[in-house]
Amino acid sequence: MSLTSQVELLPEVEAFLNKSPFASFVGGQEFPSGSGELIATIDPGSGQTLAEIHDLNAAEIDRAVDIASDAFPAWAKLSQGERSKILLRLADAVEQHKPIIAQIEALDAGKIQAQAAGDVQNFVDTLRYFVGLADKVELRTKLDVPGHDAWTFKQPWGACAFIFPWNFPFLLIGWGISPALAAGNTVVIKPAEDTSLSALYLAQLATEVGVPDGVINVVTGRGAVAGAALSANAKIKRMSFTGSPEVGQLVGEACGRNLVPVKLELGGKGAAVVFDDVDVKATAEALVGAITFHSGQVCCDATRWLIQEDIYDEFVAHCIEQMKQVQIGHPLDPQSQMGPVVNPKQCQRVLGYQEKGQAAGAECLYGGGPATVDGFTGNYVNPALLAGDLENVAAREEIFGPVAYLAKFDSEEQAIAMANDTDYGLANSVWTKDNDRAARVAEAMVAGNSWINAHNVFAHGVPYGGVNKSGMGGGVLSVETLMDYYRSTSVVRPL
């Protein structure tokens, strides 16, 4: 049975997929692998092959970096107004093609189609945000130094490299490359081998709207070869990696050998601290919505729910009732509220942690196990609620699936201690009607981000990043992010 017989594709999407196998896109043109080696990209919702992509080797990655480096001087030499005009054309084109890109993303990453459309719009908004910031940057800043005429001058670095994960392919490309491009750098994008299609579509669209050749380049291949070669390339001027802490350590090590500045956005094991003065039902609905969003494949998700003891039973009851209502289905089914996880390996990871957690003493309050979706053989799992000791493996290690782990607390001090008892430090949330308590707890939790009465909040202009095992090198989405993509030169003339 073909994919098109199971789901309805847009004609443009069907035409795009029919171009398979896909070469990388470098220097404004297709950039095939010399070996002809291919990687299949699979629809997680049906288990069927969507397309094939070329698997580049290390030498081909190095050549792509050379092309991006060669394109840098002309791109950097453009006035800010000229660069901004080109990038805004790209933002407009992406917005005009949003239904097409969203469907490609939904099929490739297993995203609910409406959520994928939101990711595409986020890309558009992010690119426009950073272009607007770059238009206002003063490149020369006068310094008040007695006896000297002194100033600093900011300019772009050169070719910047990006390795992106499979959970938010298009959105994270926007978060990563937008400040780099707006500041005048060129970029080499390495998407995950599971989810390369939207990046390739973007690169071709960029060429069509007049982005100069070599400014936006997409290289495809396996992380162990293509990703490793990109992070080890001495010609890149800045590196950004989003993914697991284990791979992030390897990327950081490779960049360190070449003294290349690196930004690492890594995993998390976030806590949601729920006090007894909340609207229990509304809070339960919000947290179930967060853990089932994109099947829990969200690094900053709240996966440890710390509930004040006297509302615990009521909270659990509402969570179970809410989870029972979650509609699991294919991403292109408009009735679906939760789709599959990205691949069979991730499916087994999620199910394995459920089993290991229970074997180590966790109680399963609800759900778990594989899910069945009529007409499709995909990577579907049921959401689950586990509970017990926070030393349990399912409470300490990142599962990256729709599994929440619950524990009780008595006092504010105990809740803070429990939230901070983790190797990670990405994002937590506190839920209470007491604004003073909310601020105290939010500031006391050790993480890059604390949210109040909400979770997964990403506003342009608010820095987002991690600490400890969750990352290093600065965050995203803010003025500070844009400034990371300028290098500063001090100019001094003694008087």
Side-chain angles (χ1 to χ4, degrees), residues 112-453:
I112 300 299
Q113 188 164 343
Q115 295 171 6
D119 289 358
V120 177
Q121 188 60 50
N122 191 289
F123 174 103
V124 172
D125 296 342
T126 300
L127 184 52
R128 289 172 177 161
Y129 168 73
F130 280 111
V131 167
L133 288 183
D135 286 342
K136 300 178 181 67
V137 169
E138 293 290 340
L139 297 179
R140 288 180 179 83
T141 302
K142 181 73 173 174
L143 302 177
D144 185 11
V145 182
H148 299 80
D149 180 18
W151 67 93
T152 60
F153 177 65
K154 295 179 176 62
Q155 50 195 312
W157 289 85
C160 300
F162 298 84
I163 299 177
F164 293 110
W166 43 254
N167 58 334
F168 287 87
F170 205 73
L171 178 147
L172 290 176
I173 288 175
W175 286 16
I177 71 171
S178 294
L181 293 170
N185 302 278
T186 56
V187 300
V188 181
I189 300 165
K190 162 62 178 74
E193 53 262 40
D194 288 292
T195 55
S196 297
L197 299 183
S198 60
L200 291 167
Y201 191 93
L202 172 70
Q204 296 174 39
L205 193 61
T207 296
E208 291 172 11
V209 301
V211 176
D213 294 347
V215 171
I216 298 177
N217 308 280
V218 174
V219 292
T220 58
R222 303 181 191 279
V225 177
L230 188 58
S231 57
N233 190 293
K235 291 185 179 180
I236 61 174
K237 300 303 180 184
R238 288 195 71 89
M239 180 77 211
S240 176
F241 170 82
T242 306
S244 72
E246 294 76 16
V247 178
Q249 290 172 336
L250 298 176
V251 172
E253 180 182 346
C255 291
R257 286 195 293 269
N258 294 322
L259 300 180
V260 172
V262 60
K263 185 191 298 285
L264 301 175
E265 301 291 337
L266 308 176
K269 194 68 180 177
V273 178
V274 181
F275 286 94
D276 59 7
D277 61 344
V278 298
D279 181 325
V280 178
K281 181 179 180 181
T283 304
E285 289 177 355
L287 287 174
V288 169
I291 198 65
T292 56
F293 179 78
H294 195 32
S295 303
Q297 298 170 121
V298 183
C299 56
C300 55
D301 221 339
T303 56
R304 294 177 297 143
W305 297 354
L306 311 179
I307 316 301
Q308 199 152 25
E309 191 166 5
D310 54 0
I311 63 166
Y312 181 86
D313 291 341
E314 181 186 359
F315 180 83
V316 168
H318 283 301
C319 287
I320 292 173
E321 185 59 34
Q322 188 67 23
M323 277 196 171
K324 287 179 178 177
Q325 298 176 33
V326 175
Q327 297 294 313
I328 302 172
H330 191 277
L332 298 193
D333 182 346
Q335 303 302 314
S336 298
Q337 296 172 310
M338 192 179 95
V341 295
V342 71
N343 56 36
K345 179 181 177 181
Q346 187 62 22
C347 187
Q348 289 306 311
R349 176 186 176 91
V350 174
L351 297 176
Y353 267 107
Q354 293 175 15
E355 294 171 2
K356 286 188 292 184
Q358 290 178 257
E363 178 187 4
C364 183
L365 301 175
Y366 176 78
T372 300
V373 175
D374 289 343
F376 295 99
T377 305
N379 311 312
Y380 298 99
V381 298
N382 286 308
L385 295 175
L386 302 179
D389 192 310
L390 289 179
E391 290 302 312
N392 188 284
V393 63
R396 299 206 66 83
E397 297 183 11
E398 186 176 38
I399 299 173
F400 224 56
V403 183
Y405 197 100
L406 283 70
K408 304 174 186 178
F409 72 86
D410 179 35
S411 67
E412 179 179 317
E413 293 73 18
Q414 184 188 20
I416 292 169
M418 292 167 70
N420 288 340
D421 185 16
T422 177
D423 295 331
Y424 293 94
L426 188 52
N428 300 310
S429 57
V430 54
W431 302 74
T432 177
K433 293 178 181 177
D434 185 332
N435 290 336
D436 291 337
R437 177 166 61 186
R440 282 195 309 272
V441 175
E443 292 181 357
M445 292 190 290
V446 179
N449 310 275
S450 286
W451 295 306
I452 295 174
N453 295 330

Side-chain angles (χ1 to χ4, degrees), residues 53-77:
I53 58 171
H54 281 243
D55 188 7
L56 298 190
N57 62 30
E60 289 161 342
I61 296 295
D62 291 343
R63 176 59 186 146
V65 173
D66 288 343
I67 290 170
S69 298
D70 291 345
F72 167 69
W75 179 243
K77 190 176 180 180

